Amino acid sequence: MGWTFYRREKNTETNAEHFAAKLDARYEVITHGTVDGVFYAAIGDRTTQKVTAYVALIRWGSDPLYNFGYKDMDETVHPCYFRAPKAVLNALTPTTHEDALAWRAHCRRHHAQRDFLPKHLKPGIKIRLTHVVRFTDGTRSDTFTYARTGQETSGFLVMSGSRIRISNWRDNVAARVEAEDREILTPLGEMQVTNKPPAENPAETLLVETASVD
């Protein structure tokens, strides 16, 4: 399904209320959450008692008549958006649909990755990303040092004394690098080993900016 745009009044209803109004009477929103412009919901079928996942991309604009748009899909089409809240995932009933199972696994892996990092990201440690980063000066690397200053709450990456700006780098950490290049794999890194992807995916190669670290 493509995007649908129309007029929607702001601050008069929640996303859950808005999308619940579009459902047939046999369905209800069990739990929900909006993450980075994507609405996730566990939708219950009152007839079958099954609960499945619903995903809607949402977009607000300045057009006075068509200021709101959405593109919705269910988990059986394997949406490429994997940040569904844990409450949504926990509310889903079992399924045998392969694409739905794959989507749920991706979402679980996203949370496992986010749970893993706070325990292992300490200032001064080295981390390896899932792909090689290509810099504007031609250098390439997939390994960086994690750092944090007194003003930083989330930390940042450093290479050769320069702060590296890579968007969403936390979602691409494959391993913590120990002495003698031993590695502690993240959930994402374990998936890479299992699936044996290519060493570098050109589509994921980034051009980044650097700034000196005091």
Side-chain angles (χ1 to χ4, degrees), residues 71-92:
K71 179 179 180 180
D72 63 345
M73 58 205 89
D74 63 53
E75 61 180 332
T76 62
V77 301
H78 198 295
C80 293
Y81 301 89
F82 308 117
R83 299 186 179 186
K86 291 181 181 180
V88 170
L89 299 173
N90 292 340
L92 305 178

Side-chain angles (χ1 to χ4, degrees), residues 132-141 159 207:
V132 173
V133 177
R134 185 180 302 162
F135 294 87
T136 52
D137 64 359
T139 59
R140 297 147 60 94
S141 181
M159 187 180 74
L207 297 179

Side-chain angles (χ1 to χ4, degrees), residues 130-134 140 192 197-206:
T130 57
H131 57 280
V132 173
V133 177
R134 185 180 302 162
R140 297 147 60 94
Q192 270 200 312
E200 177 181 354
N201 181 349
E204 295 183 357
T205 301
L206 306 174

Side-chain angles (χ1 to χ4, degrees), residues 129-156:
L129 300 183
T130 57
H131 57 280
V132 173
V133 177
R134 185 180 302 162
F135 294 87
T136 52
D137 64 359
T139 59
R140 297 147 60 94
S141 181
D142 62 357
T143 304
F144 306 91
T145 300
Y146 175 76
R148 188 172 62 233
T149 67
Q151 292 74 36
E152 293 281 346
T153 56
S154 59
F156 52 91

Side-chain angles (χ1 to χ4, degrees), residues 163-188:
R163 179 170 175 163
I164 310 301
R165 304 182 189 281
I166 305 176
S167 61
N168 299 322
W169 62 266
R170 289 172 175 270
D171 294 329
N172 292 289
V173 177
R176 169 176 171 169
V177 182
E178 302 288 285
E180 300 179 352
D181 292 332
R182 292 182 294 107
E183 293 187 340
I184 298 176
L185 294 178
T186 67
L188 184 59

Side-chain angles (χ1 to χ4, degrees), residues 21-188:
K22 297 180 179 297
L23 299 176
D24 184 274
R26 66 182 282 187
Y27 299 104
E28 62 178 332
V29 174
I30 304 298
T31 188
H32 62 88
T34 301
V35 183
D36 295 335
V38 181
F39 175 74
Y40 300 93
I43 304 296
D45 186 326
R46 293 186 175 92
T47 303
T48 64
Q49 306 307 310
K50 291 183 178 180
V51 181
T52 57
Y54 171 87
V55 179
L57 282 60
I58 57 178
R59 183 183 300 167
W60 289 93
S62 58
D63 190 301
L65 297 179
Y66 302 96
N67 69 328
F68 177 78
Y70 75 95
K71 179 179 180 180
D72 63 345
M73 58 205 89
D74 63 53
E75 61 180 332
T76 62
V77 301
H78 198 295
C80 293
Y81 301 89
F82 308 117
R83 299 186 179 186
K86 291 181 181 180
V88 170
L89 299 173
N90 292 340
L92 305 178
T93 53
T95 181
T96 58
H97 195 288
E98 291 186 3
D99 286 334
L101 289 172
W103 179 81
R104 294 181 187 188
H106 272 288
C107 291
R108 292 292 186 187
R109 191 175 298 112
H110 165 75
H111 287 294
Q113 181 84 359
R114 286 303 178 102
D115 291 342
F116 177 95
L117 294 180
K119 301 175 183 177
H120 293 272
L121 283 183
K122 307 298 180 183
I125 72 164
K126 290 184 178 181
I127 60 98
R128 177 176 61 81
L129 300 183
T130 57
H131 57 280
V132 173
V133 177
R134 185 180 302 162
F135 294 87
T136 52
D137 64 359
T139 59
R140 297 147 60 94
S141 181
D142 62 357
T143 304
F144 306 91
T145 300
Y146 175 76
R148 188 172 62 233
T149 67
Q151 292 74 36
E152 293 281 346
T153 56
S154 59
F156 52 91
L157 302 182
V158 173
M159 187 180 74
S160 301
S162 294
R163 179 170 175 163
I164 310 301
R165 304 182 189 281
I166 305 176
S167 61
N168 299 322
W169 62 266
R170 289 172 175 270
D171 294 329
N172 292 289
V173 177
R176 169 176 171 169
V177 182
E178 302 288 285
E180 300 179 352
D181 292 332
R182 292 182 294 107
E183 293 187 340
I184 298 176
L185 294 178
T186 67
L188 184 59

